[in-house]
Amino acid sequence: MHYVNNFLAVLKDPMVMFGIAGQILFFSRFLVQWIVSEKEKKSVVPPVFWYLSIGGGGMLLVYALWRHDPVISIGQAVGLLVYLRNLVLIRKHKRQTA
């Protein structure tokens, strides 16, 4: 019971709720990608995947920095670069094909 009480007490912190919201947003990108791929009957990574990645990854980076967690901070920071680069490549491709 002690662990449950500690867990519930931690949930009262607004930054913990922010981190959880970031994790939910980050996870939602997989759901979107899966739904779109099932609909298309092939593997598809829609641009919204990268926007959700940036939103969730950015929130998780803020949370990791708040927690002083260098491992998660570095992972999320590098991930953000990859997500942004993918959006740049998508926009560049759209301009070239328009």
Side-chain angles (χ1 to χ4, degrees):
M1 191 66 168
H2 176 32
Y3 294 111
V4 172
N5 288 337
N6 282 346
F7 180 80
L8 294 175
V10 168
L11 289 178
K12 292 178 183 175
D13 190 314
M15 276 305 290
V16 172
M17 295 309 296
F18 180 82
I20 290 171
Q23 190 62 46
I24 290 168
L25 185 63
F26 197 69
F27 171 76
S28 69
R29 68 196 186 126
F30 292 115
L31 233 46
V32 168
Q33 191 274 331
W34 180 32
I35 291 167
V36 171
S37 293
E38 288 295 333
K39 201 174 192 177
E40 297 288 326
K41 303 290 185 217
K42 64 179 181 176
S43 182
V44 177
V45 181
V48 70
F49 178 91
W50 302 113
Y51 288 109
L52 291 169
S53 298
I54 290 167
M59 290 173 75
L60 290 173
L61 176 59
V62 169
Y63 178 74
L65 291 169
W66 175 75
R67 299 266 310 173
H68 304 282
D69 187 326
V71 174
I72 303 301
S73 297
I74 291 167
Q76 290 302 325
V78 171
L80 285 171
L81 295 174
V82 173
Y83 313 145
L84 289 167
R85 179 64 179 150
N86 274 283
L87 285 175
V88 168
L89 292 171
I90 289 168
R91 286 190 180 141
K92 184 178 178 181
H93 179 72
K94 279 185 180 179
R95 275 189 244 136
Q96 288 175 347
T97 58

